[in-house]
Amino acid sequence: MKTVNDFYDYQILDMANGMKLENWNNVKLLRPDPQIIWTKKTNPETWQNIDATYERSNTGGGKWNIQNKKIPPFWQVTYKDLTFNLKLMGFKHTGLFPEQAYNWNLIRETIKNANRKVKVLNLFAYTGAASIAALKEGAEVVHVDSSRGMIDWAKENVKSNLLEDKPIRFLIDDVIKFVKREIRRGNKYDIILMDPPSFGRGSKNEVWNIEKDLYELVLMCSELLSDDPLLFIINSYSTGLSKTILENILYLTVNKKREGNIISDELGIQMPSSSLVLPCGLFARWEKK
């Protein structure tokens, strides 16, 4: 499992009874996580002065219970020299997945070591953390998401990092339709990133199902790779896919066009001063040999 131990603005304070208690730069949140099936609290004294709790509904979904009325409508966290805007949003999210810092570091290192101009395609790009990591190292980025709200949020993150003058294109689009158009246009990318949801809808209500659609999408994306590609990352939070399945997809698609190294693992967050680690999804990547 890959973990990040230097995200100082984010910590899991405790985990028990299906809930994780987190500190996001002095904002304390309590959110559900179905993998936390144990009941014993490690640090019971930390379960005080919680700012907001996400409470699930018996009929599906849920809502935030704001316990501290002074909690800001948005606030920021930093990781190294990156800054991200956060807010409480539907389905328990804050706009950032801290475990992805492992991939941000890898993306930055890959671009830095390339010693040339690098073009990056970020699909299902959400609020743009990976896009910002790439921009920081001087890459040209195409950022695609079907949600106007997420695109607007990503633009705010770019602004907060003082990167407005850097080469990034934001596109509100269905990912599959966009990729098909890019193939017809003959556009190529050195790095392709994707963080597909289990289920979703495109900008015009197109339906996405990761188990049915992922292979074909990766196959199409392999046609967008440049003559000297560097990196292809698939992230998955879907319980229906194992890291071996993601490896197999990369082997049958990207690696058939460009032979490289295929690596996969879990991402996780370790609770400080504890041996407890919370699994937070999977990744598989193809990288240049």
Side-chain angles (χ1 to χ4, degrees):
M1 178 178 285
K2 305 300 184 184
T3 62
V4 175
N5 300 314
D6 57 354
F7 202 140
Y8 303 116
D9 272 2
Y10 175 83
Q11 286 186 332
I12 295 179
L13 301 176
D14 205 357
M15 301 182 279
N17 296 306
M19 303 293 284
K20 57 183 174 182
L21 181 62
E22 307 162 295
N23 187 336
W24 297 79
N25 192 18
N26 297 318
V27 176
K28 190 183 286 190
L29 303 180
L30 187 60
R31 298 192 292 164
D33 192 302
Q35 297 189 94
I36 303 172
I37 62 174
W38 54 93
T39 58
K40 182 176 176 58
K41 295 178 181 177
T42 302
N43 302 308
E45 71 281 359
T46 62
W47 296 68
Q48 306 291 329
N49 303 315
I50 296 169
D51 293 303
T53 300
Y54 189 85
E55 298 175 345
R56 289 199 182 279
S57 168
N58 292 331
T59 58
K63 65 177 182 179
W64 285 99
N65 175 17
I66 308 297
Q67 290 136 283
N68 177 7
K69 302 305 179 184
K70 295 183 179 180
I71 188 172
F74 71 91
W75 72 104
Q76 293 182 330
V77 297
T78 60
Y79 176 69
K80 296 184 176 180
D81 57 345
L82 307 178
T83 299
F84 304 108
N85 297 292
L86 306 182
K87 65 180 178 181
L88 304 182
M89 56 187 295
F91 198 63
K92 73 178 182 178
H93 290 171
T94 63
L96 191 69
F97 294 92
E99 65 277 2
Q100 288 295 327
Y102 169 80
N103 282 324
W104 309 335
N105 291 334
L106 178 68
I107 292 162
R108 297 184 71 172
E109 181 181 0
T110 300
I111 295 168
K112 189 181 301 183
N113 292 339
N115 294 316
R116 60 178 171 88
K117 192 68 176 177
V118 174
K119 191 171 181 181
V120 177
L121 175 61
N122 190 7
L123 303 173
F124 308 99
Y126 197 51
T127 59
S131 296
I132 290 164
L135 279 181
K136 274 285 189 179
E137 299 303 330
E140 178 183 346
V141 179
V142 175
H143 175 109
V144 185
D145 198 280
S146 65
S147 167
R148 180 176 295 276
M150 294 301 102
I151 293 288
D152 290 342
W153 197 332
K155 290 178 179 179
E156 286 300 315
N157 280 333
V158 168
K159 184 177 180 181
S160 294
N161 285 275
L162 305 178
L163 297 171
E164 302 102 308
D165 62 334
K166 302 302 180 183
I168 182 168
R169 290 176 60 214
F170 294 100
L171 293 151
I172 304 168
D173 207 343
D174 174 73
V175 162
I176 292 176
K177 289 183 177 179
F178 170 80
V179 169
K180 288 179 177 178
R181 288 200 302 273
E182 288 292 90
I183 292 170
R184 293 195 296 269
R185 293 169 181 143
N187 287 332
K188 301 292 182 180
Y189 298 88
D190 303 296
I191 296 176
I192 297 179
L193 316 169
M194 62 173 66
D195 198 346
S198 297
F199 298 94
R201 291 190 180 275
S203 58
K204 296 184 179 178
N205 219 31
E206 302 91 344
V207 176
W208 162 268
N209 181 320
I210 193 169
E211 294 182 5
K212 294 180 179 179
D213 299 325
L214 181 61
Y215 171 77
E216 288 297 330
L217 175 61
V218 176
L219 182 62
M220 288 190 292
C221 285
S222 67
E223 298 185 44
L224 296 179
L225 289 170
S226 68
D227 291 336
D228 187 19
L230 301 171
L231 190 63
F232 195 118
I233 298 178
I234 306 171
N235 288 300
S236 175
Y237 293 89
S238 174
T239 57
L241 297 180
S242 70
K243 62 188 183 71
T244 302
I245 295 301
L246 299 182
E247 281 189 16
N248 290 346
I249 290 173
L250 288 174
Y251 176 77
L252 292 168
T253 56
V254 177
N255 208 63
K256 292 296 184 184
K257 292 181 176 291
R258 306 281 190 275
E259 188 173 347
N261 298 318
I262 297 177
I263 299 121
S264 69
D265 209 337
E266 289 184 276
L267 293 174
I269 299 174
Q270 183 161 3
M271 199 167 77
S273 303
S274 171
S275 59
L276 294 180
V277 179
L278 181 65
C280 299
L282 310 171
F283 75 87
R285 72 175 182 263
W286 173 98
E287 61 185 19
K288 180 181 177 180
K289 283 187 174 180

